[in-house]
Amino acid sequence: MKTAISTILFFALSLSTLCPAQKYHDALLNEIKGPVKLFGNQHNLLYEYDTDGALTAFYYGNREEEYGFKCERNAQGYVTALHLFKDLACTEFDYTITYTYNSNWQIVSESYTTDSEARTDYYTYNENGYRSQQKVYINGELIETINFDYDKFDEMGNWTTRYVDYGSEDDLEQDIHLIEYWDIPSPEPATPSEKLQESPSSMPLREFNDPVPTGWQALIGKKLLLTTYGLSKNGQEATRFQCQTGEYIELKSIHRLHWNNRYDGNIIYHYDIDGNRINLIQLTGKEETDDKWFELVWQEGNLIKTESNLGTYRYFSITQ
């Protein structure tokens, strides 16, 4: 059985820019960048780092129980293997976690083996360098796919809260990071546009002075009532049908698209925004549909038009 320390060590950072004075990058294992001094989370784990960026201690509870560890690093100072022990003196070996990185020094996999299981977690990242998805394999079998939706960030660009989506509304959880940094000279304040570049584009930003959202981002949380749909041919509307059933879609901030009052029943999709396109992965419903994406092709006032991968178009009225 894995110990409590494995809970947080499954997390890995997607950001690789560090304070120039740091020689090591141990905080990346907990998804943190910068001159981190102390780090804690909702699992009651506490980590300490020195000014060189090396992990010096970690505890369970309020320093009630300290764990032993040894690190293997590559020439660039990144941890490639973390050997965990059940005691501070490092005499009772527990297990080893190994890490692989991509060319941006983002962790793409971490693996460990205990008496009961062999586990490997694979990670993908969005264009801003934050982790977007985690795939969990145990004994070679895919067990679950986890998606991340970020909520709040601190002045160093580290996330402090995010939502963890395990595939259903009941499984949605919140991760919390509590971070204290070493006292270093403050950089010149970033302009609003620079702050926006350092922030993920996968959700509405709450912490920075960003421009008013547009496109699909501006529609999150609103109810879109279907008024007209039909078939497109060579980019032109070929047929047209009026919809009076109350069918509507609604984009939730947790990356859930609810499509209700359909003729084939209510359906929930996971969505990702890619420019004017919104990509869909079906989560619930009586049957598997062929809906994969909507393209936002036109918007005026409270009316929008979309095209889909099925060669259909739809007009929606924004009702709230």
Side-chain angles (χ1 to χ4, degrees), residues 97-169:
I97 303 176
T98 59
Y99 303 89
T100 63
Y101 299 80
N102 61 20
S103 59
N104 295 320
W105 293 112
Q106 298 166 330
I107 295 175
V108 293
S109 74
E110 54 187 51
S111 305
Y112 74 93
T113 300
T114 66
D115 293 337
S116 59
E117 64 182 33
R119 172 167 173 162
T120 299
D121 291 18
Y122 295 95
Y123 302 101
T124 55
Y125 299 84
N126 61 28
E127 65 273 17
N128 294 286
Y130 293 86
R131 183 173 298 169
S132 58
Q133 191 175 82
Q134 173 183 353
K135 289 184 178 291
V136 180
Y137 287 80
I138 294 181
N139 298 328
E141 179 182 356
L142 177 62
I143 300 300
E144 62 182 349
T145 299
I146 304 168
N147 294 291
F148 302 103
D149 186 20
Y150 294 87
D151 183 36
K152 295 181 180 179
F153 301 82
D154 65 14
E155 68 279 0
M156 296 297 296
N158 287 315
W159 64 266
T160 55
T161 62
R162 71 177 177 188
Y163 292 98
V164 185
D165 185 352
Y166 292 94
S168 70
E169 293 280 2

XYZ file of all heavy atoms in Angstrom, residues 97-169:
624
model
N 10.136 6.866 -6.937
C 9.389 7.462 -8.041
C 10.398 7.959 -9.069
O 11.354 8.664 -8.729
C 8.526 8.648 -7.567
C 7.573 8.203 -6.460
C 7.733 9.233 -8.730
C 6.751 9.343 -5.875
N 10.213 7.567 -10.335
C 11.088 8.024 -11.411
C 10.322 8.991 -12.311
O 9.106 8.851 -12.506
C 11.614 6.849 -12.236
O 10.510 6.127 -12.800
C 12.442 5.912 -11.376
N 11.055 9.966 -12.885
C 10.441 11.033 -13.669
C 11.097 11.125 -15.046
O 12.316 10.943 -15.180
C 10.606 12.382 -12.961
C 10.028 12.414 -11.565
C 10.799 12.044 -10.461
C 8.715 12.794 -11.338
C 10.276 12.063 -9.178
C 8.179 12.826 -10.052
C 8.970 12.452 -8.984
O 8.447 12.465 -7.714
N 10.282 11.436 -16.066
C 10.800 11.763 -17.388
C 10.289 13.142 -17.771
O 9.208 13.569 -17.343
C 10.365 10.734 -18.446
O 8.929 10.746 -18.566
C 10.827 9.334 -18.066
N 11.068 13.837 -18.601
C 10.783 15.216 -18.966
C 10.740 15.359 -20.489
O 11.347 14.569 -21.228
C 11.866 16.157 -18.418
C 11.996 16.165 -16.919
C 12.703 15.159 -16.249
C 11.431 17.183 -16.162
C 12.841 15.172 -14.871
C 11.561 17.210 -14.781
C 12.266 16.203 -14.145
O 12.400 16.210 -12.777
N 10.037 16.418 -20.950
C 10.098 16.762 -22.364
C 11.152 17.843 -22.580
O 11.880 18.204 -21.650
C 8.724 17.196 -22.889
C 8.179 18.432 -22.179
O 8.928 19.199 -21.554
N 6.879 18.628 -22.259
N 11.228 18.391 -23.794
C 12.267 19.370 -24.108
C 12.073 20.690 -23.382
O 13.006 21.499 -23.304
C 12.305 19.612 -25.625
O 11.046 20.089 -26.084
N 10.873 20.934 -22.855
C 10.609 22.147 -22.079
C 10.794 21.925 -20.585
O 10.419 22.779 -19.783
C 9.181 22.638 -22.342
C 8.971 23.088 -23.765
O 9.850 23.719 -24.345
N 7.820 22.770 -24.335
N 11.346 20.784 -20.204
C 11.530 20.407 -18.806
C 10.219 20.384 -18.045
O 10.139 20.765 -16.881
C 12.567 21.297 -18.109
C 13.943 21.100 -18.655
C 14.686 21.988 -19.369
C 14.730 19.913 -18.558
N 15.889 21.435 -19.722
C 15.939 20.161 -19.234
C 14.532 18.659 -17.976
C 16.947 19.202 -19.350
C 15.536 17.718 -18.084
C 16.719 17.985 -18.762
N 9.204 19.905 -18.725
C 7.935 19.576 -18.081
C 7.906 18.075 -17.833
O 8.336 17.292 -18.689
C 6.754 19.973 -18.964
C 6.673 21.451 -19.251
C 5.710 21.756 -20.386
O 5.532 20.952 -21.293
N 5.086 22.920 -20.332
N 7.418 17.678 -16.677
C 7.339 16.248 -16.365
C 6.235 15.619 -17.200
O 5.090 16.052 -17.148
C 7.079 16.027 -14.869
C 8.274 16.525 -14.059
C 6.817 14.555 -14.568
C 8.060 16.470 -12.558
N 6.584 14.620 -17.977
C 5.590 13.950 -18.818
C 5.189 12.590 -18.259
O 4.155 12.046 -18.638
C 6.077 13.809 -20.269
C 6.197 15.174 -20.928
C 7.405 13.064 -20.340
N 5.984 12.040 -17.354
C 5.569 10.789 -16.707
C 6.268 10.648 -15.374
O 7.377 11.169 -15.169
C 5.884 9.572 -17.586
O 7.269 9.286 -17.584
N 5.595 9.962 -14.443
C 6.217 9.552 -13.189
C 5.703 8.164 -12.842
O 4.516 7.867 -13.005
C 5.956 10.566 -12.080
C 4.506 10.918 -11.832
C 4.383 12.068 -10.835
O 5.051 13.086 -11.051
O 3.627 11.936 -9.864
N 6.618 7.327 -12.388
C 6.305 5.914 -12.182
C 6.848 5.436 -10.849
O 7.893 5.909 -10.380
C 6.921 5.062 -13.308
O 6.512 5.505 -14.584
N 6.139 4.474 -10.271
C 6.644 3.822 -9.073
C 6.041 2.421 -8.988
O 5.012 2.116 -9.599
C 6.317 4.620 -7.806
C 4.868 4.545 -7.386
C 4.448 3.582 -6.472
C 3.923 5.412 -7.901
C 3.119 3.488 -6.084
C 2.603 5.338 -7.518
C 2.197 4.377 -6.603
O 0.884 4.282 -6.229
N 6.686 1.563 -8.218
C 6.215 0.194 -7.997
C 6.257 -0.107 -6.511
O 7.266 0.146 -5.846
C 7.083 -0.826 -8.756
O 7.033 -0.543 -10.148
C 6.576 -2.246 -8.515
N 5.145 -0.627 -5.983
C 5.090 -1.080 -4.601
C 4.806 -2.580 -4.612
O 4.760 -3.217 -5.663
C 3.984 -0.347 -3.816
O 2.714 -0.715 -4.349
C 4.165 1.158 -3.920
N 4.588 -3.145 -3.441
C 4.291 -4.581 -3.359
C 2.966 -4.925 -4.049
O 2.762 -6.053 -4.490
C 4.228 -5.029 -1.898
C 5.570 -4.942 -1.206
O 6.594 -4.957 -1.916
O 5.592 -4.839 0.033
N 2.066 -3.939 -4.144
C 0.726 -4.224 -4.647
C 0.464 -3.734 -6.065
O -0.458 -4.193 -6.717
C -0.331 -3.623 -3.720
O -0.155 -2.220 -3.620
N 1.265 -2.765 -6.584
C 0.942 -2.217 -7.890
C 2.143 -1.540 -8.525
O 3.087 -1.126 -7.835
C -0.207 -1.213 -7.793
C 0.122 0.020 -6.964
C -1.048 0.978 -6.828
O -2.202 0.494 -6.795
O -0.811 2.194 -6.754
N 2.074 -1.453 -9.852
C 3.023 -0.656 -10.630
C 2.210 0.448 -11.291
O 1.312 0.179 -12.085
C 3.724 -1.512 -11.679
N 2.518 1.686 -10.964
C 1.717 2.817 -11.432
C 2.580 3.782 -12.245
O 3.711 4.084 -11.885
C 1.096 3.552 -10.249
C 0.416 4.859 -10.627
C -0.442 5.396 -9.513
N -0.962 6.730 -9.836
C -1.996 7.290 -9.229
N -2.625 6.636 -8.257
N -2.405 8.500 -9.571
N 2.000 4.268 -13.350
C 2.619 5.321 -14.150
C 1.562 6.357 -14.486
O 0.473 6.007 -14.953
C 3.242 4.780 -15.446
O 4.258 3.827 -15.127
C 3.872 5.915 -16.247
N 1.890 7.625 -14.227
C 1.012 8.730 -14.577
C 1.640 9.504 -15.730
O 2.828 9.848 -15.679
C 0.829 9.671 -13.384
C 0.018 9.034 -12.262
O -0.102 7.799 -12.244
O -0.484 9.766 -11.398
N 0.842 9.771 -16.779
C 1.300 10.546 -17.928
C 0.575 11.886 -17.943
O -0.622 11.962 -17.675
C 1.023 9.793 -19.229
C 1.804 8.509 -19.367
C 1.236 7.294 -18.998
C 3.106 8.507 -19.851
C 1.951 6.105 -19.125
C 3.826 7.325 -19.975
C 3.235 6.133 -19.605
O 3.942 4.959 -19.723
N 1.303 12.973 -18.301
C 0.750 14.318 -18.235
C 0.861 15.017 -19.588
O 1.853 14.858 -20.304
C 1.487 15.150 -17.187
C 1.437 14.529 -15.803
C 2.527 13.820 -15.299
C 0.308 14.635 -15.011
C 2.483 13.242 -14.040
C 0.261 14.060 -13.745
C 1.351 13.365 -13.275
O 1.300 12.791 -12.037
N -0.165 15.809 -19.907
C -0.122 16.714 -21.045
C -0.367 18.128 -20.534
O -0.941 18.324 -19.458
C -1.170 16.340 -22.106
O -2.477 16.298 -21.487
C -0.865 14.968 -22.703
N 0.045 19.123 -21.328
C 0.022 20.514 -20.900
C -0.651 21.385 -21.947
O -0.623 21.083 -23.140
C 1.459 21.013 -20.655
C 2.162 20.242 -19.572
C 2.809 19.038 -19.850
C 2.163 20.692 -18.263
C 3.446 18.317 -18.854
C 2.797 19.982 -17.255
C 3.433 18.798 -17.560
O 4.052 18.079 -16.565
N -1.262 22.499 -21.482
C -1.851 23.436 -22.433
C -0.776 24.384 -22.947
O 0.395 24.298 -22.566
C -3.037 24.189 -21.817
C -2.647 25.027 -20.612
O -1.514 25.489 -20.483
N -3.597 25.229 -19.707
N -1.182 25.297 -23.844
C -0.201 26.151 -24.509
C 0.469 27.125 -23.558
O 1.513 27.709 -23.883
C -0.861 26.922 -25.661
C -1.923 27.930 -25.243
C -3.306 27.309 -25.103
O -3.406 26.063 -25.011
O -4.283 28.061 -25.083
N -0.073 27.326 -22.368
C 0.517 28.221 -21.386
C 1.403 27.486 -20.387
O 1.911 28.095 -19.444
C -0.585 28.984 -20.650
C -1.338 29.920 -21.572
O -0.830 30.963 -21.957
N -2.540 29.542 -21.951
N 1.564 26.175 -20.557
C 2.474 25.423 -19.717
C 1.872 24.853 -18.463
O 2.597 24.333 -17.612
N 0.548 24.942 -18.312
C -0.109 24.352 -17.150
C -0.643 22.967 -17.516
O -1.092 22.736 -18.647
C -1.264 25.240 -16.663
C -0.821 26.561 -16.106
C -0.623 27.653 -16.950
C -0.591 26.730 -14.750
C -0.209 28.874 -16.451
C -0.179 27.946 -14.243
C 0.018 29.018 -15.101
O 0.432 30.223 -14.606
N -0.621 22.091 -16.555
C -1.067 20.724 -16.818
C -2.560 20.708 -17.170
O -3.381 21.305 -16.478
C -0.822 19.853 -15.588
C -1.176 18.403 -15.788
C -0.762 17.580 -14.596
N 0.663 17.639 -14.410
C 1.283 17.195 -13.337
N 0.598 16.700 -12.333
N 2.588 17.262 -13.250
N -2.897 20.019 -18.253
C -4.292 19.953 -18.678
C -4.908 18.586 -18.433
O -6.112 18.493 -18.202
C -4.413 20.306 -20.166
O -3.623 19.432 -20.962
N -4.108 17.529 -18.469
C -4.685 16.189 -18.328
C -3.673 15.224 -17.720
O -2.466 15.362 -17.914
C -5.146 15.661 -19.697
C -5.987 14.406 -19.629
C -6.515 14.010 -20.993
O -5.809 13.378 -21.784
N -7.763 14.385 -21.287
N -4.201 14.234 -17.013
C -3.400 13.178 -16.387
C -4.052 11.840 -16.689
O -5.254 11.674 -16.481
C -3.331 13.411 -14.879
C -2.679 12.295 -14.071
C -2.721 12.574 -12.574
O -3.114 13.660 -12.149
N -2.337 11.606 -11.787
N -3.269 10.895 -17.208
C -3.755 9.542 -17.457
C -3.047 8.599 -16.488
O -1.814 8.600 -16.399
C -3.508 9.113 -18.902
C -4.395 9.842 -19.916
C -4.176 9.318 -21.321
C -5.091 10.016 -22.315
N -6.495 9.649 -22.132
N -3.812 7.792 -15.790
C -3.286 6.923 -14.742
C -3.331 5.469 -15.218
O -4.412 4.952 -15.551
C -4.091 7.073 -13.442
C -3.529 6.156 -12.361
C -4.093 8.519 -12.975
N -2.177 4.830 -15.245
C -2.080 3.412 -15.596
C -1.610 2.638 -14.372
O -0.625 3.013 -13.727
C -1.084 3.198 -16.737
C -1.574 3.663 -18.087
C -1.533 5.007 -18.430
C -2.086 2.754 -19.012
C -1.990 5.447 -19.672
C -2.535 3.180 -20.263
C -2.477 4.526 -20.571
O -2.924 4.947 -21.799
N -2.295 1.558 -14.056
C -1.885 0.671 -12.972
C -1.747 -0.729 -13.538
O -2.677 -1.252 -14.165
C -2.892 0.694 -11.812
C -2.890 2.081 -11.152
C -2.546 -0.375 -10.765
C -3.825 2.218 -9.974
N -0.568 -1.302 -13.344
C -0.239 -2.619 -13.892
C -0.518 -2.670 -15.384
O -1.018 -3.665 -15.926
C -1.013 -3.706 -13.152
C -0.660 -3.768 -11.685
O 0.482 -3.492 -11.285
N -1.623 -4.110 -10.839
N -0.199 -1.582 -16.101
C -0.325 -1.525 -17.545
C -1.706 -1.202 -18.069
O -1.892 -1.076 -19.279
N -2.696 -1.018 -17.206
C -4.068 -0.773 -17.631
C -4.468 0.668 -17.311
O -4.216 1.163 -16.214
C -5.024 -1.739 -16.920
C -6.481 -1.547 -17.292
C -7.410 -2.490 -16.538
O -6.893 -3.345 -15.783
O -8.637 -2.371 -16.702
N -5.096 1.342 -18.304
C -5.578 2.699 -18.080
C -6.736 2.656 -17.093
O -7.778 2.069 -17.363
C -6.028 3.336 -19.397
C -6.629 4.738 -19.291
C -5.613 5.731 -18.739
C -7.150 5.210 -20.658
N -6.557 3.315 -15.946
C -7.555 3.293 -14.887
C -8.453 4.511 -14.943
O -9.673 4.419 -14.784
C -6.872 3.196 -13.505
C -6.046 1.911 -13.414
C -7.906 3.243 -12.387
C -6.855 0.641 -13.595
N -7.893 5.683 -15.174
C -8.708 6.894 -15.225
C -7.984 8.004 -15.967
O -6.753 8.006 -16.072
C -9.090 7.379 -13.830
C -7.923 7.767 -12.947
C -8.376 8.205 -11.560
O -9.584 8.407 -11.364
O -7.519 8.332 -10.674
N -8.784 8.933 -16.498
C -8.284 10.146 -17.142
C -8.803 11.337 -16.355
O -10.004 11.447 -16.100
C -8.745 10.224 -18.601
O -8.222 9.095 -19.329
C -8.252 11.510 -19.252
N -7.898 12.223 -15.968
C -8.236 13.346 -15.096
C -7.951 14.647 -15.844
O -6.892 14.791 -16.474
C -7.401 13.296 -13.804
C -7.598 11.947 -13.095
C -7.756 14.447 -12.877
C -6.600 11.698 -11.980
N -8.889 15.588 -15.791
C -8.720 16.897 -16.420
C -8.641 17.986 -15.348
O -9.249 17.855 -14.279
C -9.879 17.182 -17.370
C -9.884 16.238 -18.552
O -9.010 16.306 -19.415
N -10.863 15.346 -18.596
N -7.908 19.054 -15.661
C -7.684 20.126 -14.702
C -8.210 21.450 -15.250
O -8.030 21.762 -16.425
C -6.193 20.263 -14.384
C -5.576 19.006 -13.843
C -4.787 18.202 -14.645
C -5.795 18.612 -12.532
C -4.219 17.034 -14.153
C -5.236 17.448 -12.023
C -4.446 16.660 -12.838
N -8.857 22.218 -14.382
C -9.397 23.535 -14.720
C -8.927 24.505 -13.653
O -9.244 24.331 -12.477
C -10.927 23.470 -14.775
C -11.535 24.769 -15.253
O -10.809 25.562 -15.883
O -12.726 25.005 -14.988
N -8.158 25.535 -14.038
C -7.478 26.385 -13.073
C -8.330 27.585 -12.682
O -9.053 28.152 -13.493
C -6.130 26.815 -13.638
C -5.200 25.640 -13.784
C -5.213 24.865 -14.941
C -4.368 25.256 -12.747
C -4.404 23.746 -15.071
C -3.553 24.149 -12.849
C -3.577 23.395 -14.019
O -2.784 22.288 -14.124
N -8.202 27.960 -11.415
C -9.080 28.981 -10.853
C -8.319 30.226 -10.413
O -8.623 31.320 -10.839
C -9.848 28.379 -9.672
C -10.852 29.342 -9.068
O -11.455 30.110 -9.830
O -11.034 29.328 -7.842
N -7.299 30.081 -9.536
C -6.602 31.245 -8.991
C -5.090 31.043 -9.055
O -4.602 29.909 -8.983
C -7.032 31.502 -7.548
C -8.495 31.900 -7.404
C -8.854 32.170 -5.948
C -10.317 32.563 -5.822
N -10.705 32.805 -4.412
N -4.370 32.186 -9.143
C -2.915 32.189 -9.270
C -2.327 33.241 -8.342
O -2.997 34.206 -7.971
C -2.500 32.496 -10.719
C -3.033 31.513 -11.719
C -4.326 31.636 -12.199
C -2.263 30.457 -12.159
C -4.847 30.729 -13.108
C -2.773 29.540 -13.069
C -4.065 29.684 -13.533
N -1.049 33.060 -7.980
C -0.390 34.073 -7.161
C 0.485 34.953 -8.044
O 0.510 34.819 -9.280
C 0.399 33.433 -6.014
C 1.572 32.581 -6.498
O 1.949 32.682 -7.690
O 2.118 31.816 -5.685
N 1.240 35.877 -7.405
C 2.032 36.848 -8.158
C 3.199 36.218 -8.893
O 3.769 36.831 -9.801
C 2.552 37.942 -7.208
C 3.596 37.496 -6.195
C 2.975 36.805 -4.981
O 1.733 36.671 -4.930
O 3.750 36.401 -4.083
N 3.573 34.987 -8.540
C 4.662 34.299 -9.231
C 4.169 33.462 -10.407
O 4.955 32.821 -11.089
C 5.413 33.396 -8.234
C 6.118 34.136 -7.123
S 7.431 35.226 -7.716
C 8.561 34.042 -8.433
N 2.865 33.453 -10.638
C 2.316 32.660 -11.727
C 2.023 31.223 -11.349
O 1.665 30.416 -12.211
N 2.161 30.870 -10.069
C 1.806 29.530 -9.616
C 0.315 29.471 -9.310
O -0.242 30.406 -8.731
C 2.599 29.158 -8.357
C 4.050 28.869 -8.661
O 4.379 28.169 -9.615
N 4.944 29.432 -7.855
N -0.317 28.368 -9.665
C -1.738 28.244 -9.341
C -1.893 27.944 -7.846
O -1.067 27.257 -7.255
C -2.420 27.176 -10.194
C -1.955 25.765 -10.010
C -1.002 25.107 -10.726
C -2.452 24.809 -9.056
N -0.863 23.819 -10.276
C -1.743 23.598 -9.253
C -3.435 24.852 -8.056
C -1.979 22.454 -8.496
C -3.664 23.725 -7.292
C -2.944 22.542 -7.515
N -2.961 28.486 -7.276
C -3.238 28.264 -5.862
C -4.513 27.448 -5.648
O -4.638 26.785 -4.623
C -3.349 29.598 -5.108
O -4.332 30.433 -5.753
C -2.007 30.314 -5.111
N -5.454 27.501 -6.592
C -6.611 26.603 -6.557
C -6.929 26.151 -7.974
O -6.763 26.914 -8.937
C -7.869 27.263 -5.952
O -8.253 28.367 -6.761
C -7.632 27.718 -4.525
N -7.378 24.919 -8.086
C -7.834 24.391 -9.364
C -8.877 23.321 -9.092
O -8.976 22.792 -7.975
C -6.687 23.799 -10.175
C -6.137 22.485 -9.633
C -5.047 21.915 -10.518
N -4.491 20.691 -9.937
C -3.421 20.064 -10.411
N -2.772 20.563 -11.453
N -2.977 18.961 -9.840
N -9.638 22.996 -10.133
C -10.637 21.947 -10.037
C -10.126 20.699 -10.759
O -9.536 20.786 -11.844
C -11.965 22.404 -10.636
C -12.614 23.499 -9.826
C -12.475 24.835 -10.194
C -13.328 23.206 -8.658
C -13.042 25.849 -9.428
C -13.890 24.214 -7.898
C -13.751 25.533 -8.295
O -14.300 26.525 -7.538
N -10.354 19.561 -10.141
C -9.900 18.280 -10.673
C -11.132 17.494 -11.102
O -12.002 17.203 -10.281
C -9.095 17.491 -9.616
C -8.534 16.214 -10.217
C -7.980 18.360 -9.054
N -11.198 17.180 -12.389
C -12.374 16.552 -12.986
C -12.073 15.083 -13.262
O -11.269 14.756 -14.133
C -12.728 17.284 -14.283
C -14.006 16.775 -14.920
O -14.540 15.761 -14.448
O -14.461 17.399 -15.895
N -12.732 14.192 -12.519
C -12.530 12.757 -12.682
C -13.535 12.128 -13.642
O -13.531 10.916 -13.831
C -12.620 12.057 -11.330
C -11.486 12.396 -10.401
C -11.614 13.425 -9.473
C -10.288 11.701 -10.446
C -10.570 13.753 -8.621
C -9.242 12.017 -9.592
C -9.393 13.040 -8.680
O -8.352 13.353 -7.838
N -14.418 12.923 -14.236
C -15.316 12.381 -15.250
C -16.783 12.444 -14.913
O -17.620 12.051 -15.718
N -17.136 12.911 -13.724
C -18.542 13.064 -13.374
C -18.668 14.194 -12.369
O -17.712 14.556 -11.691
C -19.121 11.774 -12.781
O -18.593 11.528 -11.495
N -19.877 14.773 -12.289
C -20.102 15.888 -11.376
C -19.770 15.514 -9.931
O -19.243 16.310 -9.168
C -21.570 16.337 -11.461
C -21.938 16.959 -12.796
C -21.500 18.405 -12.906
O -20.875 18.897 -11.958
O -21.775 19.027 -13.935
